[in-house]
Amino acid sequence: MLKLIAILGVYFSCLSILAAEATTADAGPVVSMVTWNKEFRPIYPEAASYPRATALSDGRVMVAFAHPTSVGKAIACVVSGDGGKTWAGYRRICEHPTPVDLDNAFPLQLADGTVLVAYRRHDRKGHIFRIEVSSSRDGNQWAVRSTIATGTQGIWEPFLLPLPDGTVQAYYASEEGCYPDQRIEMRTSTDGGMSWGTPMTVAEKKGSRDGMPGMVRLGEQELLVVFEAQDEPPFRFVIRGVRSSDLGRTWSATRQLIYRPNHLVAAPWAAGAPSIIRLPDGRLMVSFQSDENNAFVAGDRRRDPTHSKYDYLWHTHFACVTSVDQGKSWTAPVHLLGGPDDPANWNALEVLNDGTVLTLSNHRGRIWVKSGVADGKPRR
């Protein structure tokens, strides 16, 4: 009898998830909006993590990342002049010995040519958390420019957004004053990242660790922030979005569901670490990492998300969904890389000046890139 009850429980859980999925925006057909090259290429020959790219005004693209050193960690960058086919020009932006932890590098070039790279610099032993910015005029010599935020509980994953008037917005995840929850905050700089204003809350919900913000500007005044959230049981993470209609001065209370894991068994599957871009024709693309393709085996630490030692990061694939209506609805996901026991983590998307789309991924201990061409025509 107990076995029959357990079977029926799983059956009805499956039905409830399938019924819910049939009514959500992520249930559309699989549509490839980008024609991808066949293979991923490495951009750095050694171990590295968390790649983020920015298109430079001279036509090149720069990728910043973190990597281990003999005494600790470093933030570094490489550049490509051929749309991501080859990479060179390694430069070390900053480095620190253990126990200082460097990661979450994010690059941006300002209108005057200055390149900023934001990153986290944490002394975990001393519980001192910082998000800093280093800058360079020539890409060779780097120096610390400012500190965006400090804390004693946790601040993570900076994202820099330039506005047409020269303002720079810095988005990040913060645990300050809300741990174990987490919120998305934003600070503004009007002097090219030399100083930063007071924090504004972009997204927050009691009981949820909102994190990993990604951002895109939809029009003259509208912004869309995507992030991972923990407010859709039984899932560990889902992808949500919030909007601003006044360039970030105020934010919607509506937390749009962009993607949730798709699995027949109700369990804490995850879809997290989103990145978002706007294609040349105006369509939107959101990438994420998910363990939804992992086979479920009850009680197995590698196959059961309810197991205390299960780690979804060992089973994630890199996928993306696309919207043709400014983010109101989304296609079903297109798989790009990785899967159970062969994870692809901390992925990102970037659109180059010529419309080329780059995908960046952490896979098998290294950083990989693949380029593609959007199928639609650019909007004039």
Side-chain angles (χ1 to χ4, degrees):
M1 177 61 72
L2 290 176
K3 183 176 181 181
L4 176 60
I5 293 173
I7 293 172
L8 289 173
V10 171
Y11 172 76
F12 285 113
S13 294
C14 295
L15 286 181
S16 65
I17 288 183
L18 289 172
E21 285 171 352
T23 64
T24 59
D26 60 355
V30 176
V31 178
S32 178
M33 300 296 186
V34 174
T35 301
W36 301 105
N37 291 334
K38 290 184 178 180
E39 297 181 354
F40 278 85
R41 294 185 173 94
I43 71 169
Y44 180 67
E46 301 176 19
S49 63
Y50 202 88
R52 295 296 184 268
T54 190
L56 301 177
S57 58
D58 62 5
R60 297 180 301 160
V61 58
M62 186 181 89
V63 171
F65 53 89
H67 70 79
T69 69
S70 59
V71 296
K73 292 186 75 175
I75 299 293
C77 63
V78 292
V79 295
S80 174
D82 55 13
K85 297 181 178 66
T86 59
W87 298 86
Y90 170 91
R91 295 293 183 271
R92 188 164 291 187
I93 296 169
C94 63
E95 60 181 313
H96 281 280
T98 304
V100 173
D101 175 33
L102 295 170
D103 212 330
N104 300 152
F106 191 96
L108 172 70
Q109 187 176 39
L110 303 178
D112 68 0
T114 301
V115 179
L116 307 181
V117 175
Y119 50 88
R120 79 175 195 227
R121 180 167 75 87
H122 293 348
D123 180 350
R124 292 177 182 259
K125 186 176 181 180
H127 295 281
I128 302 171
F129 299 87
R130 298 182 182 89
I131 294 180
E132 286 186 347
V133 177
S134 286
S135 64
S136 175
R137 288 289 300 177
D138 59 7
N140 296 316
Q141 302 297 320
W142 293 84
V144 176
R145 191 176 185 91
S146 63
T147 298
I148 296 176
T150 61
T152 60
Q153 293 178 297
I155 44 179
W156 317 89
E157 306 131 11
F159 183 103
L160 301 178
L161 178 75
L163 298 183
D165 65 357
T167 297
V168 179
Q169 295 177 336
Y171 296 80
Y172 56 92
S174 174
E175 298 174 276
E176 301 302 310
C178 61
Y179 181 85
D181 292 350
Q182 188 170 264
R183 69 172 74 92
I184 306 299
E185 292 184 349
M186 183 267 285
R187 295 180 189 241
T188 297
S189 174
T190 58
D191 55 10
M194 298 292 292
S195 62
W196 300 87
T198 57
M200 168 178 286
T201 297
V202 174
E204 182 178 24
K205 186 175 182 179
K206 184 66 175 177
S208 180
R209 287 183 59 81
D210 294 352
M212 301 289 295
M215 159 65 63
V216 71
R217 191 160 67 95
L218 301 180
E220 290 299 318
Q221 295 288 314
E222 188 173 8
L223 305 176
L224 172 62
V225 173
V226 296
F227 55 95
E228 63 182 29
Q230 292 179 307
D231 59 358
E232 183 86 0
F235 304 116
R236 188 182 309 271
F237 287 115
V238 298
I239 307 300
R240 291 203 178 271
V242 295
R243 296 173 186 256
S244 171
S245 59
D246 52 15
L247 288 180
R249 288 184 289 274
T250 60
W251 293 90
S252 66
T254 301
R255 296 161 61 91
Q256 179 191 1
L257 180 63
I258 293 175
Y259 190 78
R260 63 186 169 199
N262 182 13
H263 201 289
L264 290 177
V265 176
W269 308 105
S275 175
I276 185 169
I277 56 173
R278 188 171 185 262
L279 298 175
D281 66 356
R283 291 174 293 182
L284 302 178
M285 181 174 286
V286 169
S287 71
F288 58 89
Q289 61 191 32
S290 177
D291 63 344
E292 64 188 357
N293 289 342
N294 200 5
F296 177 81
V297 179
D300 187 329
R301 60 179 294 182
R302 293 166 56 244
R303 303 290 179 244
D304 183 353
T306 65
H307 195 286
S308 62
K309 294 185 178 180
Y310 179 86
D311 186 351
Y312 98 97
L313 295 176
W314 286 104
H315 306 291
T316 57
H317 64 268
F318 177 14
C320 61
V321 293
T322 306
S323 174
V324 299
D325 55 11
Q326 295 290 283
K328 295 181 179 64
S329 63
W330 297 86
T331 66
V334 174
H335 180 276
L336 295 172
L337 184 68
D341 302 307
D342 190 27
N345 295 325
W346 317 127
N347 313 295
L349 303 171
E350 179 69 12
V351 180
L352 305 187
N353 296 330
D354 65 358
T356 299
V357 181
L358 292 186
T359 64
L360 297 151
S361 183
N362 241 137
H363 185 55
R364 300 178 182 176
R366 299 167 72 187
I367 294 174
W368 303 81
V369 64
K370 180 162 70 171
S371 62
V373 178
D375 298 335
K377 295 181 179 180
R379 287 183 177 175
R380 300 298 183 186

